[in-house]
Amino acid sequence: MRYDTPVLFHAVTGVYDPQNGTWSDVDAEPARRWANVTPMSREVQRATFGDWLNTRLVIRLRQIYTDDFQHVTIPRGKYAGRYVLDLERTPQDRHSIVVIREGSQNGG
């Protein structure tokens, strides 16, 4: 298995502005990890989710990523784009994350 695709994990933290009385989101520096990224098969999607979308990917990391994150970005290559978490499982020796292209949850 090749871990040859860079994946950026983005955490967003809220900052309170007492002068305006509002909260604003601030993007922290994304954490970069190398991953194996593949599309999720139609059969597995139907068994797991009950539907099929061609925008679901499986991201496999060599080491478990334990920090909280809001979304991931794949900056280049075949699957370049912004993705949100769809399912997370932690097998014994690696971390597998199922993500879906942002905006495609509702068929978009």
Side-chain angles (χ1 to χ4, degrees):
M1 189 174 304
R2 299 177 90 181
Y3 296 87
D4 58 354
T5 305
V7 176
L8 304 174
F9 289 84
H10 297 268
V12 175
T13 58
V15 175
Y16 182 71
D17 182 1
Q19 290 181 331
N20 295 334
T22 59
W23 285 87
S24 61
D25 291 337
V26 176
D27 283 328
E29 184 69 27
R32 181 186 181 123
R33 299 290 185 268
W34 290 93
N36 172 267
V37 179
T38 57
M40 189 176 211
S41 74
R42 202 176 280 208
E43 295 80 22
V44 172
Q45 284 190 53
R46 287 208 173 114
T48 305
F49 299 101
D51 65 356
W52 176 77
L53 294 171
N54 64 354
T55 56
R56 273 195 190 111
L57 300 176
V58 178
I59 297 176
R60 293 175 193 86
L61 300 169
R62 211 179 276 207
Q63 295 179 340
I64 294 174
Y65 185 78
T66 57
D67 294 339
D68 291 334
F69 62 95
Q70 185 179 29
H71 65 275
V72 298
T73 302
I74 300 173
R76 64 175 194 256
K78 184 177 181 179
Y79 305 113
R82 184 173 163 148
Y83 296 84
V84 294
L85 187 66
D86 206 12
L87 179 69
E88 184 175 12
R89 299 197 181 202
T90 308
Q92 197 173 30
D93 61 346
R94 70 179 68 92
H95 196 78
S96 298
I97 303 168
V98 177
V99 295
I100 189 166
R101 186 176 294 275
E102 191 171 67
S104 64
Q105 295 94 331
N106 299 325

